[in-house]
Amino acid sequence: QVQLQESGPGLVKPSQTLSLTCSVSGGSISSGGYYWSWIRQPAGKGLEWIGLLYSSGSTNYNPSLKSRLTIAMDTSKNHLSLNLTSVTAADTAVYYCARRIAAAGSGMDVWGQGTTVTVSS
Amino acid sequence: DIQMTQSPSTLSASVGDRVTITCRASQSISSWLAWYQQKPGKAPKLLIYKASNLQSGVPSRFSGGGSGTEFTLTISSLQPDDFATYHCQQYKGFPYTFGQGTKLEIK
């Protein structure tokens, strides 16, 4: 059974780069047929889709974040990463990674537990 | 972007009630809609995909319907474990977008 676990610094200073990792266990991140997403949720607010990594390594980003965002995979470590540059307080949120099976039109069926990121000096 | 609007934002109900949450898309998304349940401090959990398909392991009291721009999530008989926040999400086009959420509270 695939499990996801996010990790990263809980606190990032404004204007710096936020770097998060999503470790995948129980399956290979490069196996075909999966999409890997990052989603975030500010405290008390709704969910915002950040971007997606195909198992081929190509990506699709939310235009609202595209200029600051890089999502990539490291097949040797079986994880995906998120880098968000020039962060502000508006980037404070719980960050989740999630898997979507491409076939049969599935939704995001496996989620990590989330990691809290606070942007503050 | 495709805007997703849920109603109501908050719903008060009792155990055993039948409840329906609505999600409207700003343009047609065919059946590319998912519903998630989220409890405080936890990640969302997939309930329904492709508008009406029940995710494996999800109780049959949950059902989804609709297509195009209007969708529903129905819980046929509320159980204590169902009090949570529910989110709809479209995956017809990028960027994927979510509704603002519906909080289901105990009356």
Side-chain angles (χ1 to χ4, degrees):
Chain A
Q1 174 145 352
V2 172
Q3 293 184 311
L4 309 179
Q5 179 151 355
E6 306 88 347
S7 59
L11 181 65
V12 183
K13 289 182 167 51
S15 79
Q16 292 190 342
T17 296
L18 165 64
S19 296
L20 298 176
T21 296
C22 173
S23 298
V24 179
S25 59
S28 171
I29 194 171
S30 57
S31 295
Y34 298 108
Y35 304 155
W36 307 92
S37 279
W38 285 98
I39 301 102
R40 68 182 182 180
Q41 185 174 37
K45 297 189 177 180
L47 297 160
E48 178 184 28
W49 179 79
I50 296 170
L52 175 151
L53 178 78
Y54 297 90
S55 51
S56 63
S58 60
T59 56
N60 200 302
Y61 296 156
N62 192 321
S64 68
L65 298 167
K66 187 173 183 176
S67 64
R68 301 191 289 132
L69 181 64
T70 303
I71 297 175
M73 71 163 64
D74 185 330
T75 55
S76 66
K77 296 180 180 178
N78 208 38
H79 74 212
L80 66 154
S81 63
L82 176 152
N83 282 321
L84 187 65
T85 63
S86 304
V87 297
T88 70
D91 296 310
T92 295
V94 177
Y95 285 73
Y96 297 99
C97 56
R99 181 192 81 168
R100 185 188 153 209
I101 302 172
S106 175
M108 291 182 278
D109 66 328
V110 179
W111 291 65
Q113 85 282 0
T115 188
T116 299
V117 175
T118 302
V119 179
S120 175
S121 55
Chain B
D1 297 5
I2 299 172
Q3 306 302 317
M4 306 300 293
T5 304
Q6 288 181 234
S7 60
S9 295
T10 306
L11 179 57
S12 296
S14 301
V15 172
D17 284 354
R18 178 185 180 89
V19 299
T20 296
I21 299 168
T22 298
C23 179
R24 290 185 174 88
S26 61
Q27 63 190 74
S28 177
I29 58 170
S30 185
S31 296
W32 299 104
L33 184 102
W35 288 98
Y36 300 88
Q37 176 194 67
Q38 187 179 28
K39 296 183 179 178
K42 300 294 186 182
K45 172 188 173 183
L46 178 65
L47 300 175
I48 301 284
Y49 65 94
K50 217 171 178 185
S52 61
N53 292 270
L54 193 67
Q55 175 68 6
S56 176
V58 174
S60 59
R61 63 181 180 272
F62 291 92
S63 63
S67 66
T69 62
E70 186 152 340
F71 302 86
T72 58
L73 172 70
T74 298
I75 309 172
S76 61
S77 178
L78 275 173
Q79 300 302 301
D81 191 50
D82 300 337
F83 292 95
T85 297
Y86 293 85
H87 307 272
C88 63
Q89 178 234 334
Q90 67 79 22
Y91 48 108
K92 170 71 165 62
F94 291 112
Y96 293 166
T97 46
F98 292 87
Q100 80 279 16
T102 294
K103 186 175 183 180
L104 180 53
E105 298 180 329
I106 300 174
K107 185 184 285 185

